[in-house]
């Protein structure tokens, strides 16, 4: 498994933007897809975005059109650009990675991101 470290969270006003980063400890360019999910205390975790090793992406309806997930394979980093942020986006955001053979199912059911085997400690996003 790779180790992942999220960064870039913070406090922002409604309508503002943040870019989260997910730095992997090893090479993830060809072997991993990477997803983002979020959690609010007392609520279920929500998968929000996924990027495949080929750059294909998928989004939850709640963020589609506002969030963009991308990857820089040379830096072993995945980004989540979040625009037009809303109070409901307030959460602890996590990235998670999985080896490619297991990614196809996640593109069909985004919730499978929550079962990915490599993850980080999260970064807090607060929108007010």
């Amino acid at each position: 498994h790779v180790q992942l470290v999220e960064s870039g969270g913070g406090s922002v006003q409604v309508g503002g933007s943040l870019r989260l980063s997910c730095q992997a400890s090893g090479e993830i360019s060809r072997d991993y897809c990477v997803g983002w999910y979020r959690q609010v205390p007392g609520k279920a975790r929500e998968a929000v975005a996924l990027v495949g090793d080929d750059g294909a992406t998928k989004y939850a309806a709640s963020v589609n059109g506002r969030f963009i997930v991308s990857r820089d394979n040379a830096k072993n980093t995945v980004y989540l650009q979040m625009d037009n942020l809303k109070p409901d986006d307030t959460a602890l955001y996590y990235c998670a990675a999985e080896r490619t053979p297991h990614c196809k199912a996640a593109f069909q059911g985004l919730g499978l991101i929550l079962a990915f085997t490599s993850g980080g400690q999260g970064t807090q996003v607060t929108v007010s």
Side-chain angles (χ1 to χ4, degrees), residues 29-47:
S29 59
R30 292 174 296 177
D31 296 331
Y32 290 87
C33 58
V34 179
W36 289 91
Y37 66 95
R38 62 190 181 186
Q39 184 163 28
V40 176
K43 295 186 177 181
R45 293 177 297 172
E46 179 189 14

Side-chain angles (χ1 to χ4, degrees), residues 59-70:
Y59 301 93
S62 59
V63 306
N64 195 28
R66 300 187 298 120
F67 289 13
I68 297 175
V69 60
S70 62

Side-chain angles (χ1 to χ4, degrees), residues 21-82:
S21 297
C22 174
Q23 176 72 54
S25 61
E27 182 177 350
I28 57 170
S29 59
R30 292 174 296 177
D31 296 331
Y32 290 87
C33 58
V34 179
W36 289 91
Y37 66 95
R38 62 190 181 186
Q39 184 163 28
V40 176
K43 295 186 177 181
R45 293 177 297 172
E46 179 189 14
V48 296
L50 175 66
V51 59
D53 62 339
D54 60 353
T57 59
K58 187 177 179 70
Y59 301 93
S62 59
V63 306
N64 195 28
R66 300 187 298 120
F67 289 13
I68 297 175
V69 60
S70 62
R71 62 194 298 162
D72 185 337
N73 290 332
K75 296 181 178 179
N76 293 316
T77 302
V78 172
Y79 304 99
L80 185 66
Q81 176 67 41
M82 307 186 297

